[in-house]
Amino acid sequence: MDRRPEISRQRLGVNIDHVATVRNARGGKHPDPVRAAHMAIAAGADGITAHLREDRRHIVDNDIARLKAEIGRPLNLEMAATPEMVAIALKHLPNACCLVPEKREERTTEGGLDVAGQEMALLPQIAALKAAGIRVSLFIEPDARAIEAAARLGADIVELHTGTYCEQALEGDAAGLAHELERLTAAARLAAVARIEVHAGHGLTYDTVSALARMPEVVELNIGHFLVGEAIFGGLDAAVRRMRVLMDEARGS
Ligand code: PXP
């Protein structure tokens, strides 16, 4: 008899921010991130993720309005936990909001949210989003303190930051890689025991996705930069399809 725990198909959220980065390099409307969202969904994405940054360097407010109106799949709005962003979320009502730390000068989201250090500040923002029926996700480092704080705050989801794991993979540091995978595995288990849904993302590629796809507790991966980069060479459709196949193969689903 097969005694393995039942493993569900892992969802793929495609982050289309960097389609908007290319558009904004020239201004105008091309390439359109909403068109990319439709294409990603047709290729196997289960949802679309977009990060509305304070400085609007890629995604802009009108993209969020159009994504919500047009894509017909869950929209995961990544945003800083600020009153401005919460008001925008309450206006557009995405399926989920993923709260991320944000500093204007950083190129991307460099670390997880300091949930334990900011509990009092996060509490009203989370309450407002949840009262509007929006699922709240916290983008955190894979550590126990952050998960315990996320549980106290009533987060529906934690998204585990895979950036350090992906950096170790790039550097070819086997010991560092094993250590990061252990941290991610332990954090995913702890969050699942606390009945928090577990997502993961940041920096994932064809080479690094399988280890995350194998973790039964991780029900969704959010992947953007690598897919948009690969789209330059082989098209977005092919890139999303390949990622989907790698996830399904690793998970055996
Ligand atoms: N998840 C979160 C919370 C993020 O901030 C990002 C980057 O915007 C991603 C996933 C996707 O990361 P990447 O673009 O490196 O795949």
Side-chain angles (χ1 to χ4, degrees):
M1 199 166 105
D2 187 354
R3 291 187 182 279
R4 282 185 315 167
E6 208 167 292
I7 188 159
S8 61
R9 179 181 177 275
Q10 195 173 47
R11 293 196 301 266
L12 170 61
V14 172
N15 180 319
I16 41 77
D17 290 352
H18 296 301
V19 178
T21 302
V22 177
R23 174 194 63 192
N24 295 3
R26 278 281 170 96
K29 295 186 173 175
H30 183 79
D32 178 12
V34 181
R35 181 177 167 200
H38 285 298
M39 188 172 271
I41 288 166
D46 300 284
I48 295 298
T49 292
H51 186 175
L52 186 66
R53 293 189 77 103
E54 191 191 2
D55 62 6
R56 309 302 198 265
R57 73 180 67 162
H58 37 57
I59 292 295
V60 297
D61 299 57
N62 187 46
D63 295 326
I64 298 298
R66 290 180 58 225
L67 286 165
K68 172 70 186 158
E70 293 179 34
I71 61 172
R73 286 283 167 92
L75 173 64
N76 175 33
L77 174 61
E78 285 177 9
M79 55 182 229
T82 61
E84 181 205 8
M85 289 297 157
V86 171
I88 290 169
L90 296 182
K91 180 172 163 202
H92 296 294
L93 298 178
N95 182 266
C97 279
C98 181
L99 301 181
V100 302
E102 194 174 301
K103 292 189 214 85
R104 193 182 283 267
E105 63 277 11
E106 70 192 0
R107 270 186 290 175
T108 181
T109 313
E110 275 157 16
L113 198 61
D114 174 19
V115 196
Q118 291 182 39
E119 274 189 62
M120 293 316 284
L122 287 168
L123 205 55
Q125 322 280 22
I126 292 175
L129 295 168
K130 287 185 74 156
I134 300 170
R135 303 187 77 213
V136 175
S137 173
L138 302 177
F139 187 44
I140 58 166
E141 293 297 323
D143 72 58
R145 251 184 102 227
I147 290 162
E148 285 154 11
R152 283 194 297 275
L153 283 164
D156 301 290
I157 304 162
V158 287
E159 178 154 331
L160 303 179
H161 198 313
T162 54
T164 309
Y165 155 68
C166 291
E167 274 165 29
Q168 302 285 3
L170 275 178
E171 284 167 18
D173 177 346
L177 193 65
H179 176 68
E180 284 309 314
L181 274 177
E182 272 168 31
R183 288 181 70 212
L184 286 161
T185 303
R189 287 187 185 147
L190 193 62
V193 167
R195 299 196 171 281
I196 305 175
E197 188 170 302
V198 188
H199 299 181
H202 206 282
L204 291 170
T205 66
Y206 296 151
D207 292 333
T208 51
V209 75
S210 300
L212 272 298
R214 272 185 220 111
M215 294 180 191
E217 299 84 3
V218 179
V219 303
E220 178 174 314
L221 298 180
N222 284 298
I223 310 180
H225 183 267
F226 178 79
L227 289 172
V228 174
E230 279 299 293
I232 293 169
F233 305 109
L236 185 62
D237 180 87
V240 174
R241 282 181 200 280
R242 172 127 186 81
M243 194 61 86
R244 182 75 263 169
V245 166
L246 291 171
M247 288 165 64
D248 291 344
E249 279 178 1
R251 207 166 176 85
S253 59

